[in-house]
PDB file of all heavy atoms in Angstrom:
ATOM      1  N   LEU B1187      15.280  -9.073  19.242  1.00  0.00           N
ATOM      2  CA  LEU B1187      13.906  -9.325  18.788  1.00  0.00           C
ATOM      3  C   LEU B1187      13.120  -8.025  18.615  1.00  0.00           C
ATOM      4  O   LEU B1187      11.930  -8.060  18.292  1.00  0.00           O
ATOM      5  CB  LEU B1187      13.184 -10.214  19.803  1.00  0.00           C
ATOM      6  CG  LEU B1187      13.434 -11.712  19.688  1.00  0.00           C
ATOM      7  CD1 LEU B1187      12.924 -12.416  20.909  1.00  0.00           C
ATOM      8  CD2 LEU B1187      12.779 -12.269  18.439  1.00  0.00           C
ATOM      9  N   ALA B1188      13.801  -6.908  18.832  1.00  0.00           N
ATOM     10  CA  ALA B1188      13.090  -5.621  18.791  1.00  0.00           C
ATOM     11  C   ALA B1188      12.461  -5.357  17.429  1.00  0.00           C
ATOM     12  O   ALA B1188      11.414  -4.716  17.340  1.00  0.00           O
ATOM     13  CB  ALA B1188      14.045  -4.492  19.160  1.00  0.00           C
ATOM     14  N   TRP B1189      13.074  -5.876  16.366  1.00  0.00           N
ATOM     15  CA  TRP B1189      12.509  -5.676  15.025  1.00  0.00           C
ATOM     16  C   TRP B1189      11.105  -6.255  14.926  1.00  0.00           C
ATOM     17  O   TRP B1189      10.263  -5.774  14.175  1.00  0.00           O
ATOM     18  CB  TRP B1189      13.421  -6.279  13.946  1.00  0.00           C
ATOM     19  CG  TRP B1189      13.640  -7.759  14.089  1.00  0.00           C
ATOM     20  CD1 TRP B1189      14.660  -8.354  14.752  1.00  0.00           C
ATOM     21  CD2 TRP B1189      12.825  -8.817  13.582  1.00  0.00           C
ATOM     22  NE1 TRP B1189      14.536  -9.723  14.698  1.00  0.00           N
ATOM     23  CE2 TRP B1189      13.411 -10.029  13.978  1.00  0.00           C
ATOM     24  CE3 TRP B1189      11.652  -8.858  12.835  1.00  0.00           C
ATOM     25  CZ2 TRP B1189      12.866 -11.265  13.660  1.00  0.00           C
ATOM     26  CZ3 TRP B1189      11.114 -10.086  12.515  1.00  0.00           C
ATOM     27  CH2 TRP B1189      11.716 -11.269  12.927  1.00  0.00           C
ATOM     28  N   LEU B1190      10.870  -7.314  15.720  1.00  0.00           N
ATOM     29  CA  LEU B1190       9.544  -7.935  15.689  1.00  0.00           C
ATOM     30  C   LEU B1190       8.500  -6.984  16.276  1.00  0.00           C
ATOM     31  O   LEU B1190       7.377  -6.880  15.787  1.00  0.00           O
ATOM     32  CB  LEU B1190       9.593  -9.232  16.499  1.00  0.00           C
ATOM     33  CG  LEU B1190       8.578 -10.300  16.148  1.00  0.00           C
ATOM     34  CD1 LEU B1190       8.660 -10.704  14.702  1.00  0.00           C
ATOM     35  CD2 LEU B1190       8.763 -11.514  17.039  1.00  0.00           C
ATOM     36  N   LEU B1191       8.912  -6.273  17.320  1.00  0.00           N
ATOM     37  CA  LEU B1191       8.033  -5.279  17.942  1.00  0.00           C
ATOM     38  C   LEU B1191       7.773  -4.131  16.962  1.00  0.00           C
ATOM     39  O   LEU B1191       6.634  -3.669  16.822  1.00  0.00           O
ATOM     40  CB  LEU B1191       8.672  -4.759  19.232  1.00  0.00           C
ATOM     41  CG  LEU B1191       7.890  -3.692  19.991  1.00  0.00           C
ATOM     42  CD1 LEU B1191       6.571  -4.246  20.493  1.00  0.00           C
ATOM     43  CD2 LEU B1191       8.697  -3.159  21.165  1.00  0.00           C
ATOM     44  N   VAL B1192       8.831  -3.717  16.258  1.00  0.00           N
ATOM     45  CA  VAL B1192       8.668  -2.628  15.279  1.00  0.00           C
ATOM     46  C   VAL B1192       7.723  -3.072  14.159  1.00  0.00           C
ATOM     47  O   VAL B1192       6.830  -2.322  13.729  1.00  0.00           O
ATOM     48  CB  VAL B1192      10.043  -2.205  14.701  1.00  0.00           C
ATOM     49  CG1 VAL B1192       9.877  -1.163  13.606  1.00  0.00           C
ATOM     50  CG2 VAL B1192      10.928  -1.654  15.804  1.00  0.00           C
ATOM     51  N   THR B1193       7.883  -4.313  13.707  1.00  0.00           N
ATOM     52  CA  THR B1193       6.994  -4.843  12.662  1.00  0.00           C
ATOM     53  C   THR B1193       5.551  -4.824  13.149  1.00  0.00           C
ATOM     54  O   THR B1193       4.640  -4.429  12.420  1.00  0.00           O
ATOM     55  CB  THR B1193       7.401  -6.299  12.308  1.00  0.00           C
ATOM     56  OG1 THR B1193       8.801  -6.339  12.153  1.00  0.00           O
ATOM     57  CG2 THR B1193       6.739  -6.775  11.051  1.00  0.00           C
ATOM     58  N   SER B1194       5.369  -5.259  14.390  1.00  0.00           N
ATOM     59  CA  SER B1194       4.020  -5.277  14.961  1.00  0.00           C
ATOM     60  C   SER B1194       3.437  -3.866  15.027  1.00  0.00           C
ATOM     61  O   SER B1194       2.253  -3.657  14.744  1.00  0.00           O
ATOM     62  CB  SER B1194       4.089  -5.915  16.346  1.00  0.00           C
ATOM     63  OG  SER B1194       2.949  -5.633  17.071  1.00  0.00           O
ATOM     64  N   LEU B1195       4.289  -2.904  15.385  1.00  0.00           N
ATOM     65  CA  LEU B1195       3.816  -1.511  15.455  1.00  0.00           C
ATOM     66  C   LEU B1195       3.437  -0.993  14.064  1.00  0.00           C
ATOM     67  O   LEU B1195       2.454  -0.264  13.917  1.00  0.00           O
ATOM     68  CB  LEU B1195       4.895  -0.609  16.079  1.00  0.00           C
ATOM     69  CG  LEU B1195       5.072  -0.759  17.597  1.00  0.00           C
ATOM     70  CD1 LEU B1195       6.289   0.026  18.083  1.00  0.00           C
ATOM     71  CD2 LEU B1195       3.828  -0.276  18.336  1.00  0.00           C
ATOM     72  N   ILE B1196       4.206  -1.406  13.055  1.00  0.00           N
ATOM     73  CA  ILE B1196       3.870  -0.998  11.676  1.00  0.00           C
ATOM     74  C   ILE B1196       2.475  -1.520  11.307  1.00  0.00           C
ATOM     75  O   ILE B1196       1.632  -0.799  10.781  1.00  0.00           O
ATOM     76  CB  ILE B1196       4.924  -1.530  10.669  1.00  0.00           C
ATOM     77  CG1 ILE B1196       6.253  -0.813  10.863  1.00  0.00           C
ATOM     78  CG2 ILE B1196       4.444  -1.357   9.226  1.00  0.00           C
ATOM     79  CD1 ILE B1196       7.397  -1.405  10.053  1.00  0.00           C
ATOM     80  N   PHE B1197       2.238  -2.798  11.627  1.00  0.00           N
ATOM     81  CA  PHE B1197       0.923  -3.380  11.307  1.00  0.00           C
ATOM     82  C   PHE B1197      -0.183  -2.705  12.121  1.00  0.00           C
ATOM     83  O   PHE B1197      -1.288  -2.492  11.624  1.00  0.00           O
ATOM     84  CB  PHE B1197       0.920  -4.889  11.581  1.00  0.00           C
ATOM     85  CG  PHE B1197       1.900  -5.662  10.740  1.00  0.00           C
ATOM     86  CD1 PHE B1197       2.421  -6.875  11.176  1.00  0.00           C
ATOM     87  CD2 PHE B1197       2.314  -5.191   9.503  1.00  0.00           C
ATOM     88  CE1 PHE B1197       3.331  -7.586  10.413  1.00  0.00           C
ATOM     89  CE2 PHE B1197       3.226  -5.887   8.728  1.00  0.00           C
ATOM     90  CZ  PHE B1197       3.737  -7.091   9.187  1.00  0.00           C
ATOM     91  N   SER B1198       0.125  -2.383  13.390  1.00  0.00           N
ATOM     92  CA  SER B1198      -0.875  -1.727  14.247  1.00  0.00           C
ATOM     93  C   SER B1198      -1.268  -0.378  13.665  1.00  0.00           C
ATOM     94  O   SER B1198      -2.450  -0.079  13.492  1.00  0.00           O
ATOM     95  CB  SER B1198      -0.311  -1.487  15.651  1.00  0.00           C
ATOM     96  OG  SER B1198      -0.195  -2.682  16.339  1.00  0.00           O
TER      97      SER B1198
END
Side-chain angles (χ1 to χ4, degrees):
Chain B
L1187 278 167
W1189 60 267
L1190 205 57
L1191 179 64
V1192 175
T1193 314
S1194 164
L1195 286 172
I1196 291 172
F1197 298 154
S1198 288

